[in-house]
Amino acid sequence: MMAVLRIIEENIPELQSLNLSSNKLYRLDDLSELAQKAAGLKILDLSRNEVRTAALRGWKGIWGSPNPTPTPSCHENVE
């Protein structure tokens, strides 16, 4: 995932939408820097992964269903 972040930072910092669906992701730790690398990111699709609901809280424009626990299709930012 760090390679993806490096590519975004170096080549497409204006990225607005990123589809990471169906990648068997179960943690978002590696995505913690995504907001700095792509400040204009509005949509992040994490559907059909293994991400838990709690990991998606506080993210705006995150598509997270279906995942192992029921998650709304989009979480509101709680800044």
Side-chain angles (χ1 to χ4, degrees):
M1 188 59 70
M2 296 309 292
V4 171
L5 292 175
R6 189 173 354 96
I7 290 168
I8 290 170
E9 180 180 37
E10 293 173 3
N11 300 295
I12 46 175
E14 68 280 358
L15 184 72
Q16 293 185 1
S17 177
L18 180 61
N19 184 338
L20 294 175
S21 65
S22 302
N23 278 289
K24 298 183 182 176
L25 300 174
Y26 61 93
R27 297 178 2 178
L28 297 179
D29 299 348
D30 294 336
L31 293 178
S32 62
E33 296 180 36
L34 188 57
Q36 293 91 25
K37 309 281 185 197
L41 187 69
K42 293 180 172 59
I43 299 171
L44 177 59
D45 185 349
L46 293 171
S47 61
R48 294 179 301 283
N49 280 293
E50 302 297 319
V51 180
R52 298 287 178 193
T53 303
L56 297 175
R57 290 205 173 107
W59 290 69
K60 183 177 182 179
I62 303 297
W63 296 94
S65 236
N67 272 295
T69 55
T71 58
S73 58
C74 186
H75 290 270
E76 289 302 316
N77 195 352
V78 291
E79 293 180 49

